[in-house]
Amino acid sequence: MKSRIITNSSRNSWKFDKNSWKFVFKKNMIKLKEHKHATENKKIEKLPLPSKVYIPLSQALGKASAPCVQIGDPVLIGQKIAVSSATISSNIHSSISGKVSAIQDWPHSVLGETRAIVIESDGLEERGEKKEQRIEKEADKLTPEQIRNIIFEAGIVGMGGASFPTHIKLNPPKPVDTLIINCAECEPYLTCDYRLMLEKTREILQGISLAAKCLGVKKIYIAIEDNKPEAIKQFGAQVSEFVIKILKSQYPQGGEKQLIKNVLGKEVPSGKLPFDVGVVVHNVGTIYAIYEAVYLNKPLYERLVSVTGSCISNPKNLLAPIGTPIKELINFCSPLKHESAKIIIGGPMMGIAQWTDEVPLIKSTTGVILFNEKEAKAREEEACIRCGACISNCPMRLMPCLINLSSEKEMWQEAKAYNALDCIECGLCNYVCPANRMLVQSIKRAKLEAVK
Ligand code: SF4
Ligand code: SF4
């Protein structure tokens, strides 16, 4: 079978329909300045071994993992150090060899602070339990149940930022017929997925076959933006049985619901999930982790991350052990051009500003971005001028200004009635608001309070 390459040239906008005298919604996204040039041509580099790692017990959506090592225990790379403690939870493995020196509270890039297992390196980089690698013929013989079990044991979670345990996502409660591989990487600055696509194309394709086998699907789409021509060329040259869907580069293309709409023209209704419309979406980094777990018997203990921003003099795409404090990554890309005023973990739109550079890399960290004072300067919040820009630009068709009002008045059920729970926290409303309203922040709070 020949590979098919489909191009999507549609534009997003609200259009005025003269017949109904209404504004009609089209797929709503905007083109952002990409800022990817600093790292897109930088090959993946390995971070030198850190002397200490702080591996958080909370790295997946759901319950924190339970430690299965004690202070003083020697550990090897890839050794399980914490086990899944609930249905939605995941295993955690040591990313270096050495000794457990503490189990303590430590800063966390998403949760503020959590328990973490601290490991001091012995400098040996010894891998534990040397299992045989699998060749393609052996991998082909694995049943879906066996593949899911390997993925569960390897502690794989969504690596695009969501951190949902992958073995659960590969066993949806309803039958699905389509798998979409999210290769959009639509956030500005980030290029680690792009480098992975260029440098590990064959391995990604093997990972896709494994995921498709688990789901029992035949329709497979590789969804990729048109700002990644080299990756498109490489997939096109190697893919035989999947459809490569080329999408216009825009934000937030990588949101699951937006991607499904743009690739398949299907709408995931409010309150529903992709499997409700027969689709599962996996990030390309997660797919590569599946390949490593099945073919190389390698648990998820390291990840790729873009270290970039105006303060970084040597921006890079780094492969680093989970638990490495981000200051080690920043130092490796130094000297700094300017004193940094803001550190963001993730992309500039959905990422989270950090109060310390001691926060460690976790399974879902996609980027470390350092902004200078001018870029980081917070604009003063003003009164809403009811311009409607947040509404007309929201990709989920929400009314951010009204959810914001409800949230400010702590009217959580009203916020819920405005479908606050559908917000994908893309940050577009903040980005377009001329009054500098902190819309996403208040919507996030409303989401948390509305489900209490
Ligand atoms: S952050 Fe939420 S409310 Fe704001 S534009 Fe994105 S989806 Fe809409
Ligand atoms: S974009 Fe800002 S100023 Fe305009 S309606 Fe929304 S909250 Fe109000």
Side-chain angles (χ1 to χ4, degrees), residues 149-362:
N149 197 41
I150 293 169
I151 292 169
F152 165 70
E153 282 300 325
I156 299 174
V157 300
M159 293 175 76
S163 329
F164 192 78
T166 302
H167 65 283
I168 302 176
K169 213 169 163 185
L170 285 174
N171 195 12
K174 291 181 183 174
V176 294
D177 61 8
T178 307
L179 168 65
I180 299 177
I181 309 304
N182 188 349
C183 300
E185 201 171 45
C186 60
E187 275 262 13
Y189 290 91
L190 305 183
T191 59
C192 55
D193 280 355
Y194 173 62
R195 290 310 311 178
L196 191 67
M197 289 180 240
L198 288 186
E199 296 179 37
K200 302 287 178 191
T201 321
R202 188 184 54 81
E203 291 85 346
I204 289 167
L205 297 175
Q206 286 172 302
I208 295 174
S209 300
L210 293 165
K213 188 171 184 181
C214 287
L215 295 165
V217 300
K218 293 264 180 293
K219 284 191 264 173
I220 300 159
Y221 293 83
I222 297 176
I224 187 162
E225 291 195 333
D226 59 6
N227 59 352
K228 303 175 183 65
E230 285 305 313
I232 293 168
K233 213 191 295 172
Q234 257 179 243
F235 277 130
Q238 295 196 35
V239 166
S240 59
E241 66 270 43
F242 317 140
V243 178
I244 300 171
K245 181 88 177 181
I246 303 169
L247 302 162
K248 199 175 159 53
S249 151
Q250 52 200 348
Y251 183 84
Q253 185 95 255
E256 285 197 341
K257 292 186 177 180
Q258 286 63 40
L259 203 62
I260 292 168
K261 176 87 180 159
N262 287 354
V263 172
L264 304 171
K266 279 188 183 177
E267 190 94 35
V268 181
S270 169
K272 300 283 180 192
L273 291 167
F275 64 71
D276 288 305
V277 295
V279 185
V280 166
V281 180
H282 276 291
N283 167 264
V284 65
T286 316
I287 291 292
Y288 181 66
I290 293 174
Y291 160 82
E292 289 196 312
V294 173
Y295 279 83
L296 311 182
N297 263 314
K298 184 179 163 193
L300 181 54
Y301 58 76
E302 59 184 5
R303 74 150 294 145
L304 268 178
V305 57
S306 300
V307 184
T308 182
S310 57
C311 298
I312 299 277
S313 57
N314 294 305
K316 294 176 194 292
N317 290 301
L318 293 177
L319 180 65
I322 303 289
T324 307
I326 58 162
K327 68 177 177 194
E328 304 249 357
L329 285 87
I330 295 168
N331 289 343
F332 188 60
C333 300
S334 287
L336 293 185
K337 279 199 238 167
H338 323 274
E339 195 57 38
S340 81
K342 198 177 203 176
I343 302 174
I344 304 268
I345 294 276
M349 297 298 285
M350 292 186 81
I352 300 176
Q354 303 298 316
W355 58 275
T356 168
D357 58 5
E358 295 284 355
V359 286
L361 191 73
I362 58 173

Side-chain angles (χ1 to χ4, degrees), residues 20-34:
S20 63
W21 275 77
K22 277 183 186 161
F23 279 97
V24 180
F25 186 84
K26 301 286 174 191
K27 286 174 282 178
N28 217 14
M29 298 190 207
I30 63 173
K31 177 80 188 158
L32 297 172
K33 201 164 174 206
E34 289 174 359

Side-chain angles (χ1 to χ4, degrees), residues 10-79:
S10 63
R11 289 183 170 275
N12 305 320
S13 61
W14 283 85
K15 292 227 168 103
F16 189 71
D17 179 7
K18 284 182 191 155
N19 299 324
S20 63
W21 275 77
K22 277 183 186 161
F23 279 97
V24 180
F25 186 84
K26 301 286 174 191
K27 286 174 282 178
N28 217 14
M29 298 190 207
I30 63 173
K31 177 80 188 158
L32 297 172
K33 201 164 174 206
E34 289 174 359
H35 296 282
K36 290 183 188 275
H37 58 277
T39 50
E40 65 189 352
N41 295 318
K42 299 278 182 74
K43 283 194 176 163
I44 298 167
E45 275 183 59
K46 206 167 177 335
L47 182 82
L49 186 68
S51 56
K52 234 183 198 186
V53 290
Y54 301 78
I55 304 178
L57 292 169
S58 296
Q59 293 195 56
L61 215 69
K63 206 163 172 212
S65 314
C68 57
V69 288
Q70 291 180 347
I71 296 169
D73 283 356
V75 288
L76 299 169
I77 296 177
Q79 180 182 328

